[in-house]
Amino acid sequence: MTDADRTENQDGKAHGHGDSREAVRRTLGVPDLSLVVLIGATGSGKSTFAARHFKPTEVISSDFCRGLVSDDENDQSASGDAFDVLHFVAGKRLAAGRLTVVDATNVQSEARAQLVRLAREHDVLPVAIVLDVPEQVCAERNAARADRAGLPRRVIQRHQRELRRSLRHLEREGFRKVHVLRGQAEVESAEVVLERRFNDLRHLTGPFDIVGDIHGCRFELETLLGRLGYALVRDELGRAVDAAHPQGRTAVFVGDLVDRGPDSPGVLRLVMGMVGAGHALCVSGNHENKLGRYLKGRKVQHTHGLAETVAQLGEEDDAFRAEAGAFVHGLVSHYVLDGGGLVVCHAGLPEKYHGRTSGRVRSFAMYGDTTGETDEFGLPVRYPWAEDYRGRAAVVYGHTPTPRATWLNNTICLDTGCVFGGAMTALRWPERELVDVPAERVWYEPAKPLATEAPGGADGRPLDLEDVAGRRIVETRHMGRLAVREENAAAALEVMSRFAVDPRLLPYLPPTMAPCATSTGQTREGAGDEGFLEHPVEAFAGYRADGVREVVCEEKHMGSRAVVLVCRDESVAGELPHSPKGMGGTPIGVPKGVSGALYTRTGRPFFDDPETTERILRRIGACVEEAGLWAELETDWLLLDAELMPWSLKATGLLRKQYAAVGAASGAAFPSVLGALEAAAARGVEVGPLLDRQRDRAADAAAFTEAYRRYCWRVGAVEGTAEGTAQGAAEGAAAGADAAGGGTEAAAADPSGGLGDLEGVRLAPFQILAVRGRSLAGLAHTEQLALIDRIVAAEDAVASRGGAAPRDGAGGRPGLLATTRRILVDTEDEASIAAGVRWWLDLTADGGEGMVVKPVQALVRTADGRLVQPGVKCRGREYLRIIYGPEYTRPENLRRLRVRHLGHKRSLALREYALGLEALDRLAEGEPLWRVHEAVFAVLALESEPVDPRL
């Protein structure tokens, strides 16, 4: 009970039970999040008091609950069930952070004990308001109520006796505030005032500068405040006693101001001055808690740096020590700031504790939680609460030293071990920028090497099977919670564990892509879409319906989707910090001798020969250097989305077993069939319709063979000449014919044995996904392609320095990098749409696969907030022959194929897209590899969902 509460109760006692003199107006302070328990005999006016001072939704009446379960509010036999309902509803309200008032007699200690336990379970303060009204008043009120007119007087008398026995023990029972109102006049004159909790500073919106653990390092603190822009104020002895920011920013200290370092009194003097002047806030750390107990004369062990602080305080006067003791004693466990979007504490805090007040909350905020185990250094193993955190508020804390401050699940640990020789770190909020200063020296030898323990630290924790096994729910920023089925996770685990590249080189997997809506086949003026299964007008109409006016149509290269992680050099790959500028990151730990990765959309390496991969990565890196993008993008690594050609590089088995088999069968069957029918026709046999049908089928089969042969060519030059390249391409086409005739040569060299040369290999990058500390997935596609064009254009200069002939010149050899052609289309302009259709028709007529249509702006949403498809593919008429079979263009087949269901494919594409974005965001924010892989693995898992593979 506070001093104010005691005064109120004493004043109440002075009035006695009667109303002989006018009652002094009473103000009852009630925390705005608490469990208020009304206590009084039946008829004392509790329901009237509750209705006068609280919202109807805040009050839970035992009578009302009794009526809910029995249809009779006075049926005492239903009281057990009624109180079960009351406690359940009260618990739900408290869990939701809502003030709750219990309107029941509550005169028995057993009934109150259940409510006190309920308040403690939800970490709120229990408050008792006692209505001590004379027995006669209670009797008269009950007699005036028809449903209680027959209530025996002895019931009121029993309530009064139980109330008398309870009054002196309410605080001991656990009530943090007790307000006793004596007499009818005092009850009627009382006023309830909701009080803001000490930790509730949501009205303060900053901007803030949140400073990590200081541990007596005064000089580094002064330097850090200077870098943050604060002007120090010194006293006549030259000691820093305040610091103010010219732009009105507020410093927030996460605790552990003292112990271990060289000048804990100096740190206290500065921080106390800033807090006193309104320039700073400070929460309690475990070291302040221990120091406070020492200054109160309690017996504490002088360990973990307290001995140094005690010795330093011994040189200060009594007034300073008293001031310091009062300061640390008054520190709260945590603050909720900026409209509830920011929580600052010392050791971290799960969402269920934000804004709560209890010993459990205070203990967690100052000490964190442990698993009960100890490590090899004899220190407690801390429970990784931040790994499970999913709250909206950012939690900024310290306590556990880590080499780098990194974000994890919207939490960040700022203790970067200054006193141990690390650095002192501050976070600018809301900018989310980190500022740090190095320690002058190692002031205190740590019990173990400074390495990560805090979740999200430099190395994070190792990848673990539990991160991906079983049914999973992955939180994404763009589509909320996405589920991964257990059976899909098992399928993904098979691929990831047996075939994928080193998981440390796998920070992203691209999503599948949905096709445009199926063409109706009805001729529309200017559309020319008759006889087509997919047509651009459907893609343009779909985006127009989603509110997207400007789209970009990109050439769809007939290759295999490739993700390219390219580093400036091998040393960069060895560290590869995925972190925002000014922030340490999570090293992937790339194996020595590797400067990146080149892998398929399922995470498999394109080439078993590492040297081939390295040659491609070195060429791309050199082109990025020549284009000046390393410096312009302020990065030393890039993550690219691309197509690697030819398709036959990874489709040799498919060509042999599926496509070549069809070509071989048609090549063997149709010549003899047509010969026989033509001979019969020459003899005058009526076989005209049958002959025409078989000729059409033979033409379809030939078109099928021609369609897939366009995307297959040999790689590796013959004698290293340009003519050799042409010869290799010609041989690749011939290989298709050989396969059709049952030959043994595939349409492309098998890459498993390693490519002798890169001739014929083409890479068409079309998006820069991420760079150091930034996801570029939100960059407009026109800007993306402009950057890619610069990389491709730089290859001429890179090749010429190596002595190669110019790319694509007369007699010159083609380069490794290919340009992605494109055209912009206005979906609300018919002329623009017609131009887009013509461009697509010309592209596919020349053998192109088709195009991908994307909104120019990335991350587009509809008017109702739905995420728009990031791209839809519109494939050419002849290319679709490979997918749907040689005779798919027959009218009867088209009618059947037009009944295709795209809903699941579209849903899958959007979910995988959101997971890919989440992986890139986590990568950019420096989260540990296991967190990045949670989203990456989910993409691969979704790929095993059953869906029509032709879509």
Side-chain angles (χ1 to χ4, degrees), residues 494-734:
E494 171 79 3
V495 174
M496 191 76 78
S497 60
R498 295 184 59 193
F499 307 112
V501 299
D502 189 320
R504 294 172 294 178
L505 295 169
L506 193 63
Y508 174 81
L509 284 178
T512 189
M513 182 174 294
C516 65
T518 306
S519 174
T520 62
Q522 298 175 352
T523 303
R524 283 170 286 187
E525 186 176 353
D529 60 343
E530 62 279 5
F532 288 92
L533 189 61
E534 294 179 8
H535 196 276
V537 293
E538 307 296 347
F540 301 148
Y543 278 122
R544 183 170 60 249
D546 285 334
V548 179
R549 177 159 187 170
E550 191 175 28
V551 296
V552 58
C553 304
E554 299 179 8
E555 172 187 10
K556 194 175 191 307
H557 300 278
M558 185 49 193
S560 300
R561 191 77 172 267
V563 179
V564 188
L565 175 64
V566 55
C567 300
R568 196 165 190 170
D569 54 48
E570 184 181 324
S571 64
V572 172
E575 298 179 359
L576 207 59
H578 307 320
S579 60
K581 186 169 60 176
M583 182 185 296
T586 305
I588 281 183
V590 173
K592 188 173 181 181
V594 175
S595 63
L598 174 61
Y599 54 87
T600 70
R601 65 181 307 270
T602 57
R604 305 179 187 222
F606 264 101
F607 305 105
D608 292 339
D609 174 24
E611 178 54 31
T612 301
T613 299
E614 285 300 311
R615 291 177 65 194
I616 293 175
L617 295 178
R618 286 195 293 270
R619 171 60 68 92
I620 298 170
C623 293
V624 174
E625 177 75 42
E626 183 69 25
L629 291 183
W630 292 129
E632 184 176 322
L633 297 176
E634 298 179 301
T635 187
D636 46 19
W637 60 266
L638 294 172
L639 190 64
L640 298 170
D641 207 351
E643 285 278 333
L644 187 68
M645 298 170 282
W647 181 46
S648 49
L649 268 176
K650 274 298 176 185
T652 301
L654 187 66
L655 287 164
R656 283 178 176 158
K657 296 176 183 178
Q658 185 169 321
Y659 301 128
V662 174
S666 62
F670 281 120
S672 57
V673 169
L674 292 177
L677 289 173
E678 288 169 351
R683 292 194 305 269
V685 179
E686 182 55 46
V687 293
L690 179 60
L691 177 59
D692 291 342
R693 186 163 62 253
Q694 295 306 314
R695 282 172 175 166
D696 289 344
R697 294 187 67 202
D700 287 342
F704 172 84
T705 303
E706 182 62 26
Y708 79 75
R709 285 173 59 181
R710 289 191 182 103
Y711 310 114
C712 312
W713 60 81
R714 288 188 182 278
V715 294
V718 178
E719 299 179 351
T721 63
E723 290 78 11
T725 302
Q727 181 181 348
E731 288 177 358

Side-chain angles (χ1 to χ4, degrees), residues 49-327:
F49 181 89
R52 182 186 306 149
H53 297 288
F54 300 100
K55 299 176 185 176
T57 53
E58 293 173 338
V59 180
I60 308 174
S61 164
S62 60
D63 288 345
F64 179 74
C65 292
R66 199 176 287 111
L68 284 178
V69 299
S70 70
D71 293 330
D72 182 357
E73 292 189 355
N74 294 301
D75 183 358
Q76 297 301 313
S77 66
S79 292
D81 291 338
F83 277 96
D84 286 344
V85 172
L86 185 149
H87 292 150
F88 178 80
V89 176
K92 289 297 183 181
R93 285 189 58 83
L94 294 176
R98 304 193 182 281
L99 176 69
T100 303
V101 180
V102 174
D103 175 13
T105 57
N106 295 315
V107 293
Q108 296 176 332
S109 59
E110 295 84 358
R112 295 191 299 271
Q114 294 184 61
L115 295 172
V116 170
R117 282 198 299 271
L118 186 65
R120 287 174 175 168
E121 286 174 9
H122 294 90
D123 302 289
V124 301
L125 298 180
V127 176
I129 299 180
V130 180
L131 279 64
D132 188 6
V133 176
E135 176 188 328
Q136 183 61 32
V137 174
C138 296
E140 290 173 357
R141 287 175 176 171
N142 281 316
R145 291 178 53 177
D147 58 341
R148 293 189 183 177
L151 185 72
R153 187 71 172 251
R154 65 178 180 274
V155 174
I156 302 173
Q157 293 170 344
R158 185 180 75 248
H159 286 177
Q160 293 281 18
R161 288 194 302 270
E162 291 173 331
L163 179 63
R164 296 281 177 274
R165 286 196 294 266
S166 300
L167 284 177
R168 289 178 296 175
H169 307 295
L170 292 176
E171 285 187 5
R172 197 179 310 161
E173 290 178 5
F175 288 98
R176 292 293 296 273
K177 284 196 171 192
V178 178
H179 301 293
V180 180
L181 301 175
R182 301 183 185 277
Q184 186 176 356
E186 194 167 307
V187 170
E188 293 177 352
S189 66
E191 179 184 4
V192 172
V193 176
L194 294 183
E195 300 172 338
R196 187 189 297 273
R197 287 153 283 156
F198 289 127
N199 56 35
D200 183 4
L201 298 183
R202 288 175 293 176
H203 60 289
L204 299 182
T205 58
F208 302 107
D209 298 302
I210 309 166
V211 180
D213 296 37
I214 300 169
H215 282 298
C217 298
R218 177 186 57 81
F219 180 80
E220 288 89 342
L221 174 59
E222 292 181 9
T223 304
L224 179 60
L225 290 173
R227 285 197 57 188
L228 292 168
Y230 288 78
L232 291 171
V233 178
R234 299 186 183 274
D235 62 12
E236 63 278 3
L237 299 178
R239 300 175 300 189
V241 295
D242 191 10
H245 199 284
Q247 296 175 353
R249 299 178 71 92
T250 301
V252 185
F253 298 96
V254 303
D256 277 8
L257 309 174
V258 300
D259 294 349
R260 295 177 175 149
D263 192 3
S264 290
V267 172
L268 283 170
R269 183 176 288 108
L270 175 54
V271 173
M272 288 190 301
M274 294 179 69
V275 172
H279 299 145
L281 300 168
C282 184
V283 298
S284 179
N286 57 301
H287 285 264
E288 282 76 53
N289 184 53
K290 189 174 182 181
L291 176 62
R293 286 185 283 130
Y294 165 77
L295 292 174
K296 279 189 170 184
R298 307 273 179 85
K299 186 176 181 179
V300 295
Q301 292 184 343
H302 292 197
T303 55
H304 303 296
L306 179 60
E308 287 79 0
T309 300
V310 169
Q312 293 161 14
L313 285 172
E315 301 176 7
E316 302 290 335
D317 57 30
D318 291 341
F320 179 82
R321 286 193 293 270
E323 183 183 2
F327 174 75

Side-chain angles (χ1 to χ4, degrees), residues 833-858:
I833 291 173
V837 171
R838 287 194 301 271
W839 186 79
W840 177 78
L841 289 172
D842 292 341
L843 188 69
T844 54
D846 289 339
E849 176 182 344
M851 67 184 183
V852 177
V853 184
K854 305 175 180 177
V856 169
Q857 301 301 322

